[in-house]
Amino acid sequence: MAALLDNLNSFLWNEKWWLGDDAKWEDFISSDPNIYYPRARDMNWSLVVGVGLLLVRYVYENVLIVPLANYLGVQERKQRQLVPNPTLEAAFKKHNGRVPHSEIENLRKQTDLTERQIQRWLFRRKLKTTPSALYKFKECGWHLFFYTFIFVYGLWTLWDKPWLRVTVNSWIGWPKQPIDKDVFMFYLMELSFYWSLLFSMLFQKDYQKKDKKEMTIHHCVTIALIYFSWACNFVRVGTLVLVVHDIADPWLAIAKMAQYSNHQTICEAFFGVFIVVWILSRCVVYPIWVLNTSAVEIHDYVTTFPAYWFFNGLLFVLQILHIMWTYLILRIAFQKIQRGSIEKDERSESECEMDDPFTDEDEETTPSINQAVANGSIANMPRSRHTVSVKAT
């Protein structure tokens, strides 16, 4: 059994794949206690810190964000009683919450309910798993806090580092590039944050987002890339990627918070700032600063190997995603200019705030579920972290 585990470990951590001909795993072992090289096992602390961040988030949201939301008029949505109905529940799950009108007649015969009663049940069932404005306000409040903190901390950490201004220093001396305590903490906090997001998503029972599967995959890939970029000591270029991506997120978070609290002018102002920061960071600085050093400058100092091509390929995929998202963002901006308001985008309606039209059972009109969904907004913009990124995206 021990031999089998050793063989598996040797296969997973094959030096030729991860390090090529220029380095060995022994190069990351330092005999000097004052010199530290990345060790993969040290990032395992991110699991513990990730749980700790969940506790910090809980306290932060309830002590600061909920009172702020209540002050701004953002209240928890009242949930109306939903009588269990196995037949309607089965139809709801079968059609992923979008039961076609053609099936309403069949459901009416199976349940002896009126069409209006069926629609009311389906609507309230959908409402039960739809994030409320307060939930999303709290989530954005946490993102605003963490992304602001981690960007400031990351910039402070890298301010005196030689590779911040002269990116070729990301590769000079590789693989023996010592890591100081601040860089270690910066990487650890970023990785821990994604663990906390993954934990929060997997154990969330109150609300389920439509893109849960996609976001779960995203978080897992991001965690893996951060972890393995640390193991290969691609830390210097990884820190550049992290800082570039952290700068835009706070502006979108505060714009969404203003949207949820019905401060439209403030929302649009911060959204405008977000657009400028996004374009400069993702479409200008990232390709000129990061991609140039990872795709061009590296070849004068490092003999490339399979893991490098894997990481660098994902960095280019990320740039393609940046361009796609920039197009969507600019569409929303032009919509505002042309129509005077920001309307529903292509994001899922499952994250839109919904108002219950079924408040009076004697009402003669029978609004459909789709008509009951309120218009979306930039509050439903894809978060700028929806990416396959080598943080090492």
Side-chain angles (χ1 to χ4, degrees):
M1 184 65 179
L4 178 62
L5 292 176
D6 289 340
N7 291 334
L8 179 61
N9 186 65
S10 298
F11 173 78
L12 292 176
W13 294 100
N14 183 280
E15 286 182 341
K16 293 293 184 180
W17 202 91
W18 290 107
L19 303 175
D21 297 325
D22 294 346
K24 297 182 180 298
W25 293 120
E26 288 79 5
D27 293 333
F28 300 135
I29 300 175
S30 174
S31 57
D32 187 342
N34 296 317
I35 297 179
Y36 173 78
Y37 299 113
R39 292 177 299 188
R41 65 177 181 271
D42 292 340
M43 279 293 115
N44 293 339
W45 283 103
S46 62
L47 289 166
V48 179
V49 179
V51 174
L53 284 178
L54 288 178
L55 299 176
V56 173
R57 176 179 178 175
Y58 178 81
V59 173
Y60 170 75
E61 288 181 348
N62 286 277
V63 173
L64 295 177
I65 298 301
V66 172
L68 175 62
N70 293 336
Y71 174 77
L72 295 175
V74 182
Q75 302 290 333
E76 186 58 87
R77 182 174 56 216
K78 294 181 179 179
Q79 293 284 2
R80 295 183 176 274
Q81 184 178 5
L82 187 67
V83 179
N85 189 309
T87 301
L88 296 182
E89 181 69 25
F92 181 88
K93 292 181 178 179
K94 177 182 177 181
H95 297 281
N96 197 25
R98 298 171 181 245
V99 180
H101 190 270
S102 59
E103 190 154 334
I104 297 293
E105 181 64 22
N106 292 332
L107 293 174
R108 190 177 65 81
K109 294 177 181 178
Q110 295 176 43
T111 60
D112 292 329
L113 297 174
T114 65
E115 180 178 341
R116 175 177 175 77
Q117 288 173 328
I118 293 173
Q119 287 188 325
R120 180 172 61 243
W121 192 97
L122 292 172
F123 178 85
R124 291 178 180 170
R125 176 63 178 84
K126 186 178 182 69
L127 196 65
K128 187 177 180 180
T129 56
T130 302
S132 66
L134 179 60
Y135 175 90
K136 293 183 285 186
F137 188 92
K138 292 191 298 181
E139 182 179 55
C140 290
W142 172 242
H143 290 168
L144 173 63
F145 170 78
F146 182 83
Y147 289 137
T148 302
F149 163 77
I150 204 64
F151 171 73
V152 173
Y153 180 72
L155 193 61
W156 176 80
T157 297
L158 299 180
W159 193 253
D160 60 347
K161 300 300 186 290
W163 65 89
L164 178 66
R165 295 172 178 82
V166 183
T167 55
V168 72
N169 287 313
S170 296
W171 310 111
I172 295 176
W174 185 90
K176 285 189 170 293
Q177 295 175 328
I179 300 297
D180 63 25
K181 182 179 179 180
D182 291 328
V183 173
F184 173 83
M185 291 302 299
F186 179 48
Y187 238 70
L188 180 67
M189 290 299 295
E190 290 275 9
L191 182 54
S192 302
F193 178 68
Y194 279 95
W195 276 121
S196 72
L197 292 181
L198 184 61
F199 295 155
S200 177
M201 182 170 294
L202 293 179
F203 296 105
Q204 173 58 254
K205 295 182 179 180
D206 295 334
Y207 301 117
Q208 297 294 331
K209 295 184 178 180
K210 184 178 180 180
D211 61 352
K212 179 179 178 179
K213 292 181 180 179
E214 292 82 354
M215 287 308 301
T216 299
I217 294 173
H218 162 262
H219 294 332
C220 290
V221 171
T222 303
I223 287 169
L225 290 173
I226 295 177
Y227 186 89
F228 289 122
S229 70
W230 176 266
C232 295
N233 201 8
F234 285 167
V235 175
R236 292 186 175 185
V237 70
T239 56
L240 299 182
V241 177
L242 289 168
V243 169
V244 168
H245 285 77
D246 288 334
I247 190 173
D249 293 279
W251 304 104
L252 181 59
I254 197 170
K256 287 184 176 183
M257 294 173 72
Q259 172 78 26
Y260 299 139
S261 58
N262 295 319
H263 291 81
Q264 191 65 21
T265 301
I266 297 176
C267 164
E268 293 171 358
F270 278 103
F271 184 61
V273 175
F274 164 74
I275 292 175
V276 174
V277 175
W278 170 278
I279 293 176
L280 290 176
S281 61
R282 306 298 178 92
C283 299
V284 179
V285 175
Y286 178 77
I288 294 176
W289 196 40
V290 177
L291 287 184
N292 179 63
T293 192
S294 71
V296 179
E297 294 177 341
I298 185 176
H299 297 291
D300 292 330
Y301 302 93
V302 177
T303 303
T304 55
F305 43 91
Y308 159 76
W309 293 110
F310 172 71
F311 288 130
N312 201 60
L314 288 176
L315 288 176
F316 275 93
V317 171
L318 179 58
Q319 183 57 46
I320 295 173
L321 294 175
H322 289 164
I323 295 172
M324 294 171 56
W325 289 329
T326 300
Y327 168 74
L328 295 176
I329 291 169
L330 291 178
R331 279 189 60 182
I332 294 176
F334 288 136
Q335 183 184 93
K336 164 62 181 174
I337 295 173
Q338 294 175 353
R339 304 179 185 178
S341 64
I342 299 175
E343 297 182 2
K344 184 176 179 179
D345 62 21
E346 292 81 0
R347 189 91 164 117
S348 66
E349 72 176 14
S350 65
E351 292 189 20
C352 300
E353 188 66 14
M354 304 164 70
D355 296 319
D356 190 348
F358 300 103
T359 55
D360 184 358
E361 295 191 17
D362 295 327
E363 185 178 340
E364 293 182 359
T365 59
T366 308
S368 68
I369 292 178
N370 289 335
Q371 291 172 330
V373 178
N375 282 339
S377 64
I378 72 164
N380 302 313
M381 276 291 301
R383 285 164 290 191
S384 58
R385 298 271 177 156
H386 287 202
T387 147
V388 179
S389 55
V390 177
K391 288 205 166 193
T393 73

